[in-house]
């Protein structure tokens, strides 16, 4: 059954139309602050994935040949559509994800900026196609083309639903790829609303498709589908590894944005007030559900106890509660499973005798997945709390005596996403930034992310980079055309 009116809930978006899942099944999505049901969402399966991939494959050739200027027009229309609905979108994301409304508003601003940025890059592509390449042999001429890599499967998590989606959809469309988006089964509502905006943005049918459903059914079917040429995945490292293995069968191109266990390095000369702000933002923003959470705080020993006392006062005053209340600084975790996982880590820390500085006890709400902002000090480097991604508001603290030691401890991780450096010594900031094995270093800066700079990391945190020109290149194939030039007539001797 097809309809062109966007119901946004209970249906999939395939070939430019809203349609029911073949299974006829729906699943309830909840508000994590109240545990109340929010909506019924379609449960897609392999046959829906097949229909969406077929629609994308049918649209690929024409979309891939369209000009960057034409694609930019659609991207700007999406940005405008998001802008016109920013308040409703922020409210919807907060209802589904639980983050404070002010954080959802930041996310929506990021989404608009990302679509506009990739519109610019799409336009620049037109001038860059078939550029001559300088060769050392006059007998040949070469040109360079960037072509879309084809049908792309975009799989995203629940912590920044619209942002992680925009970081994939915008560059993929800009490059000329057709796409199938799979939102998280926990937070599909913001993406369904985005699909309704994209529906009105002038894209040809089949260029953008959305299939809701589980990772086990929709996710695996997308990654396994032979007509999918590129998989761009954001989520846990464990699932990312599964995705990469499955993609290897067809040698599909993969981009992976995975987990993290990032460090904040605080030197004795740091501005203490600024450091308090940045340390708290690095772990309690989005209730710590950030791949980039700086969940390991390393403090130079001489200032550690003083700073920890200030940190405790600050953290104990964080207002946890209704994410729609403007006074709220931290909302609930996004789902029950994550709540249980975080509680288990906290219990493990308490049972192991870790020194508790703040939090540790239940937040005391009768409903909702609320966790108190929690800090453990002197956490041993072999503790699971120090090594593993908790993905919640739990900060582990330890100390160092020298710059070299701080760098060595920070790099002692299987992850390498980001780091924060807090120091007023510029030369030290440069040395430490260069030595850290991560994709992005913030020096005396909150976790600002610009579409112009790259996103991604080293080791088990990523394969490839999103954002910037690298985000676009992730959806492109390089083609050179080399032409033998006719031999020029030699003048007679
Ligand atoms: P997850 O890996 O469980 O799920 C991510 C997405 O993959 C979901 O849409 C899920 O349905 C789908 N999926 C699950 N199994 C699949 C399979 N076998 N094949 C294909 N798709 C499958 O992650 P999550 O719990 O939703 O998100 C939290 C994780 O995401 C954290 O580890 C976090 O660090 C990471 N993350 C990373 C970044 C980054 O940019 N590096 C950004 C946000 C979140």
């Amino acid at each position: 059954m097809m309809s062109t009116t966007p119901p946004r809930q209970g249906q999939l978006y395939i070939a430019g139309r809203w349609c029911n899942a073949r299974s006829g099944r729906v699943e309830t999505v909840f508000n994590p602050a109240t545990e109340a049901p929010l909506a019924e969402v379609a449960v897609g399966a392999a046959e829906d994935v097949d229909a969406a991939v077929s629609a994308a494959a049918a649209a690929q050739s024409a979309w891939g040949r369209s000009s960057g200027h034409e694609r930019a027009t659609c991207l700007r229309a999406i940005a405008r559509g998001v802008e016109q609905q920013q308040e409703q979108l922020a409210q919807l994301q907060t209802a589904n994800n639980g983050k404070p409304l002010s954080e959802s508003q930041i996310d929506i601003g990021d989404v608009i900026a990302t679509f506009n940025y990739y519109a610019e890059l799409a336009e620049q592509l037109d001038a860059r196609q078939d550029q001559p390449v300088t060769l050392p042999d006059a007998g040949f001429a070469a040109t360079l083309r960037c072509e879309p890599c084809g049908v792309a499967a975009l799989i995203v998590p629940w912590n920044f639903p619209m942002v992680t989606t925009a970081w994939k959809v915008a560059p993929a469309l800009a490059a000329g790829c057709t796409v199938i988006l799979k939102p998280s089964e926990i937070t599909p509502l913001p993406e369904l609303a985005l699909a309704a905006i994209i529906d009105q943005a002038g894209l040809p049918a089949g260029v953008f498709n959305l299939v809701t459903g589980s990772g086990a059914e929709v996710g695996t079917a997308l990654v396994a589908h032979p007509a999918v040429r590129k998989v761009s995945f954001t989520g846990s490292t464990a699932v990312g590894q599964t995705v990469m293995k499955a993609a290897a069968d067809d040698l599909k191109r993969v981009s992976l944005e995975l987990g993290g266990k990032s460090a904040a390095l605080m030197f004795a000369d740091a501005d203490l007030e600024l450091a308090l702000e940045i340390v708290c933002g690095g772990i309690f923003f989005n209730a710590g559900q950030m791949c980039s959470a700086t969940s390991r705080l390393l403090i130079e020993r001489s200032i550690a106890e003083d700073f920890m006392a200030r940190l405790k006062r600050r953290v104990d005053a964080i207002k946890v509660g209704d994410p729609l209340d403007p006074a709220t600084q931290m909302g609930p975790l996004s789902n029950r499973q994550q709540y249980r996982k975080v509680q288990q880590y906290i219990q493990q820390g308490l049972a192991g005798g870790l020194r508790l500085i703040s939090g540790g006890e239940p937040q005391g709400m009768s409903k909702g997945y609320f966790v108190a902002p929690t800090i453990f000090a002197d956490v041993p480097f072999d503790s699971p709390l120090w090594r593993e991604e908790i993905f919640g508001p739990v900060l582990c603290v330890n100390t160092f005596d020298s710059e070299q030691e701080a760098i060595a401890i920070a790099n002692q991780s299987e992850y390498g996403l980001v780091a924060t450096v807090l120091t007023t010594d510029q030369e030290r900031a440069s040395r430490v930034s260069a030595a850290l094995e991560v994709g992005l270093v913030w020096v005396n800066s909150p976790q600002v992310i610009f579409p112009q700079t790259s996103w991604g990391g080293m080791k088990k945190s990523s394969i490839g980079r999103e954002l910037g020109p690298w985000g676009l290149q992730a959806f492109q194939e390089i083609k050179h055309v080399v032409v033998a030039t006719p031999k020029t007539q030699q003048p007679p001797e």
Side-chain angles (χ1 to χ4, degrees), residues 97-401:
N97 166 283
K99 64 178 73 187
L101 190 59
S102 56
E103 295 188 19
S104 281
Q105 285 160 343
I106 294 173
D107 285 5
I108 306 301
D110 186 314
V111 170
I112 297 165
T114 302
F115 277 101
N116 281 326
Y117 172 71
Y118 282 105
E120 266 173 50
L121 261 55
E123 277 168 345
Q124 290 169 15
L125 274 178
D126 289 339
R128 292 225 191 99
Q129 285 301 43
D130 301 316
Q131 284 278 310
V133 179
T134 309
L135 298 178
D137 187 332
F140 298 91
T143 49
L144 165 66
R145 294 183 60 75
C146 293
E147 298 191 349
C149 60
V151 175
L154 314 178
I155 303 175
V156 297
W158 43 260
N159 59 334
F160 286 91
M162 287 197 75
V163 170
T164 44
T165 289
W167 290 5
K168 296 184 191 307
V169 172
L173 295 182
C177 292
T178 59
V179 306
I180 306 98
L181 170 68
K182 192 206 103 51
S184 163
E185 49 273 58
I186 294 161
T187 54
L189 301 187
E191 275 93 343
L192 283 161
L194 181 66
I197 290 169
I198 294 177
D199 177 60
Q200 301 295 306
L203 289 172
V207 170
F208 172 87
N209 306 274
L210 178 148
V211 181
T212 46
S214 72
E217 278 189 275
V218 175
T220 51
L222 270 173
V223 178
H225 200 293
V228 168
R229 294 274 181 86
K230 164 87 192 188
V231 180
S232 180
F233 171 88
T234 298
S236 60
T237 295
V239 175
Q241 287 165 328
T242 308
V243 165
M244 192 164 174
K245 283 176 192 156
D249 283 344
D250 292 323
L251 288 177
K252 292 185 174 84
R253 278 74 180 123
V254 287
S255 296
L256 304 175
E257 286 302 335
L258 310 173
K261 189 74 189 180
S262 298
L265 292 73
M266 184 180 170
F267 292 89
D269 60 7
D271 175 330
L272 294 187
E273 272 309 304
L274 181 68
L276 279 175
E277 188 80 33
I278 290 173
V279 166
C280 288
I283 185 65
F284 301 125
F285 193 85
N286 203 13
Q289 301 162 111
M290 297 185 287
C291 49
S292 58
T294 37
S295 50
R296 295 184 294 150
L297 173 62
L298 287 162
I299 316 180
E300 192 160 353
R301 194 182 305 278
S302 58
I303 57 158
E305 285 311 316
D306 174 47
F307 186 72
M308 231 119 68
R310 291 168 189 249
L311 190 58
K312 177 179 168 51
R313 282 199 293 280
R314 176 100 167 201
V315 171
D316 287 347
I318 288 178
K319 187 170 181 317
V320 181
D322 176 4
L324 290 172
D325 179 345
T328 293
Q329 292 166 296
M330 205 178 90
L333 297 187
S334 296
N335 58 86
R336 180 178 292 148
Q337 194 187 342
Q338 192 59 26
Y339 173 80
R340 288 197 180 131
K341 183 180 156 197
V342 172
Q343 289 292 6
Q344 274 167 13
Y345 274 110
I346 293 174
Q347 290 314 315
Q348 194 176 355
L350 293 172
L354 293 184
R355 179 155 73 105
L356 184 71
I357 304 292
S358 281
E361 72 288 347
Q363 190 57 37
M365 319 280 192
S366 59
K367 286 274 181 204
Y369 309 126
F370 294 93
V371 172
T374 296
I375 304 177
F376 288 110
D378 310 325
V379 181
F381 300 143
D382 61 354
S383 160
L385 277 80
W386 185 264
R387 288 187 295 108
E388 296 170 13
E389 183 182 50
I390 297 175
F391 219 56
V394 182
L395 179 66
C396 293
V397 186
N398 217 313
T399 54
F400 64 86
D401 291 303

